[in-house]
Amino acid sequence: MKRILPMLAATGLALFFSCSDETIIYEDEQSAVELETSETVLENSISLDNAGVLDIFSEDRLTGKLARFADEPAGDYPLSLVAQVSPPKFSGGENLTASHVHVHGNYAYVAYNTVGQDYVGGIDIVNVADPNRPGVTSRLYYTNADISSVKYDNGYVYAAGGVDSEKSVRATSNSFVAKIKVDNGRFNLGAGILYGFQEGFVATDVETTASSVIVTSGKDGYVTVYDKNTLEAQNDTPFSDLRSVKLKDDKIGVLDADFGVRILDQNLSQVGSIAIDADFRTADKRTLDFTSDNKIVVSEGEAGAGIYDFTTGSFIEHVPILINPDGVATSDIVTNAVTINEDVLLMANGGAGLCLSEEEDNGTDLVGIIELTGSINYVESKGDYIFAASGKSGLQVIKMNKPSPSLAARCADSPNYQGSSKLTVGANQQLAFSGSKRFQQISVSGSLLLCGTWTVKNTVTVADDALFEIRGTLIVARNNKRKDLKVGEGATLRVEGNLTVYGDLELEDGATVEFLGTGSRVNILGEVKKGDNVTITGDFEDIQNKF
């Protein structure tokens, strides 16, 4: 068994309910729970070392079908890495890995566990309201419990995980759920923590409704419905090996590793099922998600992702794992988790990375592998963000840089860009484009307007007397591969929106930078280098105070 400190002190306990032989609920004095009190530790948990433009490696590039120096078209999905969050480290908890993420509003709630024989875990709250200034606002350590899954709902974090019941004072089973108060992005342990236990090797996932908390547990476990206010168990049903739970309208979908997907009603009676012939393996992370058009997507280990019809249960297609990287153990090339964001399917493929695909009318179109480090264990995506839990590499926060509806409307007068990833504008050309694309480089000798959201992997050059206008968002390079935005003599850079450069902004003699309207933001990670007679006009926020 895992080595463990006693979970929950024997003193100060208030016993509320004993609903069945499988469930017990109580509050404690947080003897095995600690808060990180050092703001320095929280600040240092954020790393910008790899922040900036992310490439997406297409299937053609990965398989060698595209020549190394071929002129690729500009890619969709101009992603950028906002930051990485390092896993917590504390005495007795030196090997935590990111295992799960839930996103709500401006915060990401991150679960950590320990692979191996120790029960040690943690939970982070990460504020991503400002992508230029992400921060860990609160951190909680469990010295005697793994955390498998978290869900924030209406002022509380609900955490599911595992504890050694043989060495715990109160735990009757290894699987538990905790209800922890959160105020303004910070844990409030003074309000007490409410716990519930159920049978099963470890609690694997948690969901909430308006009145209930639904928890699944693994080997020889249960799906259990708790009262949201009291954590009194209202109903439970045993299953062989549950890994994940998702809600779809009034139905509950659970992933049973010994069978496939089971669809339950509110009384936990099975009303549908999808038998899946896949090796889900023992104790591995596996999830399911629902699409907006009544499909179920299931992470199926080495088989990739399976897509099924929710209404009929019929098989639709498999989305394979795109690459088999050199030097990565076969056992680590598996689809651990899946998530849907509008028409985008994301697959956390362990050592094979994070795969992005598009849901099309005629099936799923593989886009490619996002340029990330670490083994991707879990992925969650909502709104304009992707959150990838990557083991000991921690949490990776990715911005999708989707154009807002208002920006898209403003850009409607310009044609969508459909050209090369190496955009070159001749001295006699006056071009204007709208869209959302990834470029390798941009060179402007004439006049160019880009309206939308754009990333550039390498240098942006505005030649002498040329004009480059940005309406929306432009991000240049990344922190570990810095490149510059160069504005030549007498040239003009006009910005209405957000400009980020992981490198220098070089303004040669007589160059002009104009900021239009109000609300523009400029984030220069290198230096602003000014020649003679440089003119800067308009209102803008200088994030790094480089001007």
Side-chain angles (χ1 to χ4, degrees):
M1 300 297 292
K2 292 186 177 182
R3 177 180 59 78
I4 184 170
L5 300 176
M7 182 177 188
L8 310 172
T11 60
L13 298 179
L15 184 64
F16 289 106
F17 301 98
S18 181
C19 306
S20 70
D21 291 339
E22 292 80 25
T23 307
I24 188 169
I25 300 92
Y26 56 87
E27 287 184 312
D28 77 322
E29 292 184 340
Q30 300 95 38
S31 64
V33 181
E34 300 175 8
L35 282 180
E36 178 56 68
T37 58
S38 170
E39 290 297 325
T40 300
V41 170
L42 297 182
E43 290 173 5
N44 290 341
S45 297
I46 296 289
S47 172
L48 302 178
D49 291 349
N50 297 315
V53 172
L54 291 173
D55 205 349
I56 300 178
F57 302 111
S58 67
E59 185 175 12
D60 285 345
R61 286 172 66 185
L62 291 166
T63 58
K65 295 179 181 178
L66 186 70
R68 182 180 176 185
F69 299 105
D71 188 8
E72 290 183 84
D76 296 326
Y77 304 103
L79 308 179
S80 58
L81 182 67
V82 173
Q84 291 175 266
V85 182
S86 301
K89 285 188 177 181
F90 56 95
S91 179
E94 291 83 12
N95 296 302
L96 269 64
T97 62
S99 59
H100 191 98
V101 187
H102 178 245
V103 185
H104 185 275
N106 292 324
Y107 295 96
Y109 302 84
V110 190
Y112 299 92
N113 63 15
T114 301
V115 177
Q117 297 303 308
D118 292 328
Y119 279 105
V120 184
I123 308 172
D124 276 347
I125 303 178
V126 184
N127 188 338
V128 292
D130 183 351
N132 294 307
R133 299 188 181 100
V136 179
T137 58
S138 196
R139 172 169 284 176
L140 180 151
Y141 304 132
Y142 265 98
T143 61
N144 68 340
D146 280 330
I147 308 299
S148 304
S149 179
V150 289
K151 174 74 182 286
Y152 172 87
D153 190 346
N154 196 29
Y156 290 89
V157 165
Y158 298 87
V163 64
D164 188 343
S165 61
E166 294 183 2
K167 296 184 178 180
S168 170
V169 175
R170 291 288 180 176
T172 58
S173 301
N174 286 0
S175 301
F176 77 92
V177 59
K179 180 180 178 180
I180 310 169
K181 188 75 174 74
V182 174
D183 295 322
N184 298 316
R186 294 181 179 272
F187 291 110
N188 177 6
L189 296 191
I193 302 177
L194 194 63
Y195 289 90
F197 292 97
Q198 64 191 62
E199 291 292 337
F201 184 75
V202 62
T204 53
D205 205 359
V206 57
E207 272 282 10
T208 59
T209 69
S211 59
S212 302
V213 180
I214 305 170
V215 180
T216 54
S217 50
K219 275 292 185 181
D220 301 321
Y222 281 72
V223 55
T224 302
V225 179
Y226 297 90
D227 180 89
K228 199 172 187 179
N229 294 320
T230 65
L231 284 190
E232 177 183 5
Q234 298 175 317
N235 195 7
D236 56 25
T237 298
F239 288 100
S240 297
D241 188 3
L242 296 182
R243 305 291 177 86
S244 181
V245 57
K246 280 286 185 179
L247 305 180
K248 173 71 171 177
D249 301 325
D250 62 342
K251 299 296 189 295
I252 302 168
V254 295
L255 178 57
D256 184 347
D258 284 345
F259 174 78
V261 177
R262 300 183 188 272
I263 307 298
L264 314 177
D265 63 17
Q266 293 296 304
N267 295 318
L268 302 185
S269 297
Q270 185 167 307
V271 295
S273 65
I274 303 171
I276 298 175
D277 183 16
D279 182 7
F280 290 100
R281 301 199 315 204
T282 301
D284 278 10
K285 190 85 170 182
R286 298 290 182 265
T287 71
L288 73 163
D289 202 359
F290 293 99
T291 71
S292 59
D293 56 351
N294 276 330
K295 297 175 185 175
I296 302 175
V297 185
V298 182
S299 58
E300 299 183 7
E302 62 184 16
I307 302 178
Y308 304 85
D309 186 281
F310 172 71
T311 304
T312 65
S314 59
F315 170 77
I316 297 175
E317 65 174 319
H318 268 122
V319 183
I321 296 174
L322 191 54
I323 59 172
N324 187 0
D326 293 335
V328 177
T330 303
S331 60
D332 194 34
I333 302 174
V334 290
T335 301
N336 297 308
V338 292
T339 192
I340 301 291
N341 186 332
E342 296 181 350
D343 294 328
V344 172
L345 166 63
L346 293 157
M347 298 163 57
N349 289 336
L354 180 61
C355 182
L356 187 152
S357 301
E358 293 176 315
E359 292 289 312
E360 304 284 356
D361 291 338
N362 58 349
T364 303
D365 181 27
L366 287 163
V367 175
I369 303 298
I370 300 173
E371 184 184 15
L372 295 174
T373 59
S375 180
I376 310 301
N377 299 327
Y378 185 82
V379 61
E380 172 81 357
S381 183
K382 288 185 179 179
D384 202 29
Y385 285 92
I386 300 169
F387 299 86
S390 49
K392 292 185 179 181
S393 294
L395 176 72
Q396 308 203 49
V397 182
I398 302 160
K399 200 165 189 297
M400 299 182 75
N401 298 307
K402 299 178 182 179
S404 66
S406 60
L407 177 60
R410 291 173 55 211
C411 297
D413 291 339
S414 301
N416 284 320
Y417 184 79
Q418 300 293 335
S420 169
S421 64
K422 299 177 181 178
L423 173 56
T424 299
V425 181
N428 298 320
Q429 289 183 297
Q430 295 183 355
L431 303 178
F433 299 106
S434 64
S436 184
K437 295 288 186 180
R438 289 176 287 120
F439 291 105
Q440 291 292 315
Q441 63 187 47
I442 294 177
S443 178
V444 183
S445 295
S447 173
L448 173 65
L449 166 64
L450 291 181
C451 188
T453 57
W454 319 85
T455 61
V456 185
K457 185 175 181 179
N458 296 302
T459 301
V460 176
T461 302
V462 185
D464 296 351
D465 300 317
L467 170 64
F468 182 26
E469 297 182 82
I470 304 159
R471 294 179 188 169
T473 296
L474 176 70
I475 304 171
V476 180
R478 61 188 304 176
N479 237 355
N480 60 356
K481 297 178 181 178
R482 291 194 170 191
K483 303 293 180 180
D484 302 329
L485 194 165
K486 302 177 181 179
V487 182
E489 293 186 17
T492 298
L493 174 66
R494 190 170 292 152
V495 178
E496 185 178 3
N498 300 292
L499 171 64
T500 297
V501 181
Y502 290 91
D504 297 334
L505 174 60
E506 298 184 7
L507 306 174
E508 297 187 7
D509 296 348
T512 298
V513 182
E514 299 176 1
F515 294 96
L516 305 183
T518 60
S520 290
R521 308 182 81 198
V522 183
N523 190 20
I524 307 299
L525 278 298
E527 301 297 331
V528 177
K529 298 180 178 179
K530 302 176 186 176
D532 295 332
N533 301 315
V534 167
T535 302
I536 299 173
T537 63
D539 296 327
F540 66 99
E541 180 183 357
D542 181 7
I543 302 296
Q544 305 293 338
N545 296 315
K546 295 298 177 70
F547 282 83

